[in-house]
Amino acid sequence: MDNLKFQQSLTKEGIKMSFLGYSIKELETKLHNKEISATELVDIAFKRIAEVEDKVQAFITLDEENARAKAQELDQQAQESHKLFAMPMAIKDNIAIKGMPLTCASNILRDFKDPLYNATVVDKLNAEKAINIGKVNLDEFAMGSSTESSAYLKTRNPWNLDHVPGGSSGGSAAAVAAGEVCGIVGMKPTYGLVSRHGLVAMASSLDQIGPMTLTVEDNARVLEVIAGHDPLDATSANQNIPAYTEVLKEDIKGLKIAVPEEFFGQGLDPEVKEAVMNAVQMFELIGAKC
């Protein structure tokens, strides 16, 4: 499949079954109205993975059996108020999940099949009834910025297969951008806001765990779930977690946004610079100060 045909298959009109264009809120409404089931959401995820994964190469490990079993279980339960009920998710493969391999995209950990415990963020996602689809690719031990140093896969950018998806979370970004799971807005939380317990550290003074989603509202919802103090992480901040989704109702007039000059130096792709500056101008138009 060439780039043009592949990109066309990624559009909402070009496919019948994927998460492209659907926010968590929209899928939640469909579940509530019985227009779709948890089992069907998992079916959509694995169908999409079968369609595009040979080109995107986002996943190191799939967990289809457990995902389908959990979906069937959730279909027998009331949706109630769980923030991520039946939402398919993928976890970066440097975060521990009990019963699943933890490779960090390195041959050193190729035979590490089970860390025997869940990372705190995984427990929090499970508590809100999200469904794990699998573990996604990254730069080896998260040391890189293109996901080309993985010992397992060379993940590609779904919107241009000749380009990299960035890193170290390239597998995460590519999986959501390709509609294999729900996503893409990336969030790097303030250090200490989200527990790092269960994360294989690249550098403890730098590591943070954050969500990648389709919309800002989705991102706020997931951050509400995974943020918070954790006694198992000595760097975890002991502070109240606000309702981030409620704050989104406010405008951004007067908000200060920092744009580091050093990020615009030699080697930056002109298209990337243009896209970032367009975003900066849009923020200024709606009241922010950059």
Side-chain angles (χ1 to χ4, degrees):
M1 185 183 296
D2 61 30
N3 277 331
L4 178 59
K5 290 181 180 178
F6 186 80
Q7 290 171 40
Q8 288 173 341
S9 78
L10 290 175
T11 65
K12 193 172 180 181
E13 295 77 15
I15 54 176
K16 292 182 179 179
M17 301 284 278
S18 89
F19 298 112
L20 291 168
Y22 290 102
S23 67
I24 292 174
K25 193 171 186 177
E26 289 172 322
L27 293 174
E28 181 181 67
T29 300
K30 288 182 178 295
L31 283 165
H32 182 77
N33 293 338
K34 308 297 183 185
E35 297 175 32
I36 199 168
S37 67
T39 298
E40 288 171 326
L41 284 176
V42 170
D43 286 342
I44 290 170
F46 286 108
K47 179 179 183 294
R48 185 60 176 164
I49 289 168
E51 289 176 346
V52 303
E53 184 59 17
D54 64 324
K55 295 294 184 183
V56 177
Q57 299 189 84
F59 283 87
I60 292 178
T61 305
L62 292 173
D63 195 19
E64 186 168 358
E65 183 178 351
N66 287 326
R68 292 192 182 281
K70 185 169 183 179
Q72 291 173 5
E73 179 184 325
L74 293 181
D75 279 333
Q76 306 305 313
Q77 299 179 14
Q79 189 171 342
E80 298 176 349
S81 59
H82 294 100
K83 294 180 180 178
L84 300 174
F85 188 89
M87 294 298 113
M89 64 177 182
I91 301 294
K92 187 175 177 179
D93 201 15
N94 62 343
I95 297 174
I97 300 179
K98 185 178 181 180
M100 289 195 70
L102 178 60
T103 72
C104 296
S106 175
N107 281 324
I108 294 173
L109 296 178
R110 182 176 289 274
D111 295 323
F112 187 27
K113 303 298 184 182
D114 184 358
L116 303 179
Y117 72 102
N118 284 334
T120 297
V121 291
V122 172
D123 281 337
K124 289 187 172 188
L125 292 165
N126 287 340
E128 292 297 332
K129 307 294 185 180
I131 300 176
N132 179 42
I133 297 299
K135 306 288 287 294
V136 281
N137 198 26
L138 63 150
D139 281 301
E140 185 173 10
F141 287 108
M143 296 181 182
S145 57
S146 65
T147 315
E148 292 177 290
S149 68
S150 169
Y152 295 81
L153 304 164
K154 294 289 187 274
T155 300
R156 299 175 179 178
N157 186 324
W159 297 106
N160 188 328
L161 297 175
D162 295 326
H163 289 204
V164 299
S168 62
S169 303
S172 304
V176 289
E180 296 176 291
V181 291
C182 297
I184 179 97
V185 171
M187 170 67 173
K188 188 175 180 68
T190 301
Y191 186 80
L193 184 66
V194 177
S195 171
R196 295 182 298 111
H197 173 68
L199 169 70
V200 179
M202 189 274 281
S204 291
S205 61
L206 300 174
D207 291 332
Q208 288 129 287
I209 297 175
M212 293 187 179
T213 60
L214 176 68
T215 68
V216 173
E217 183 179 21
D218 286 353
N219 211 279
R221 183 187 294 223
V222 177
L223 188 61
E224 285 177 357
V225 170
I226 65 174
H229 181 251
D230 180 11
L232 297 176
D233 178 0
T235 62
S236 177
N238 192 359
Q239 63 185 54
N240 293 327
I241 303 302
Y244 296 116
T245 49
E246 293 299 317
V247 177
L248 296 178
K249 297 176 182 178
E250 302 174 6
D251 63 38
I252 65 168
K253 188 174 182 180
L255 180 71
K256 293 182 179 179
I257 299 175
V259 184
E261 293 180 356
E262 293 81 0
F263 290 1
F264 294 86
Q266 186 177 359
L268 178 64
D269 189 298
E271 292 183 18
V272 173
K273 181 177 180 180
E274 181 182 7
V276 173
M277 295 313 298
N278 285 342
V280 169
Q281 291 172 13
M282 181 58 67
F283 282 127
E284 290 178 327
L285 285 174
I286 57 179
K289 297 179 180 179
C290 297

